[in-house]
Amino acid sequence: SPRACREGGRRKALDETDFVAQVERQKLEGVTCAEGQRVRDYFQSQIPGSVGEYKSNVIISYATGTRNKWTGYSSDLDGEGCGPGMMYTYLVVHYLERAGIACFT
């Protein structure tokens, strides 16, 4: 129904707003391993079929480093292999998907 579509659109917009707020928080507080795994799972869900056979016109690469004491931060902010780069990449991949543009991350 039209109402359901409107409500779905509002919910999607709220989810996106919440995610942007989450990324802003993670800039300061860090990205947990669980948050990072959810993003990796999302990236992998964008590939239909076999990774070896998947062809995409858009390829996005991001750093998997972490902000921790060893790299000069006062505390360990991110889970291993997680960081703000993957969260910003999620936003780009999500918007590309909504525009019908498939990509490989």
Side-chain angles (χ1 to χ4, degrees):
S1 76
R3 180 179 178 179
C5 289
R6 282 194 307 274
E7 289 175 2
R10 279 190 219 123
R11 190 173 311 112
K12 191 174 211 175
L14 288 173
D15 290 346
E16 290 172 9
T17 301
D18 290 345
F19 193 82
V20 171
Q22 176 182 332
V23 171
E24 289 296 318
R25 176 192 55 79
Q26 290 166 331
K27 282 192 325 190
L28 302 174
E29 298 176 12
V31 179
T32 68
C33 288
E35 292 167 333
Q37 189 58 52
R38 280 193 296 274
V39 169
R40 285 186 202 98
D41 291 344
Y42 171 75
F43 290 159
Q44 292 171 359
S45 76
Q46 301 304 298
I47 301 169
S50 167
V51 172
E53 296 176 10
Y54 183 65
K55 304 291 185 230
S56 174
N57 291 328
V58 177
I59 298 173
I60 300 173
S61 179
Y62 62 94
T64 57
T66 60
R67 298 170 293 169
N68 56 33
K69 289 180 183 178
W70 188 78
T71 58
Y73 286 83
S74 60
S75 65
D76 292 344
L77 289 178
D78 303 311
E80 187 175 339
C82 301
M86 74 185 316
M87 307 313 284
Y88 291 124
T89 302
Y90 169 86
L91 292 172
V92 172
V93 170
H94 180 72
Y95 284 108
L96 288 173
E97 176 196 16
R98 287 184 59 204
I101 301 169
C103 64
F104 181 82
T105 307

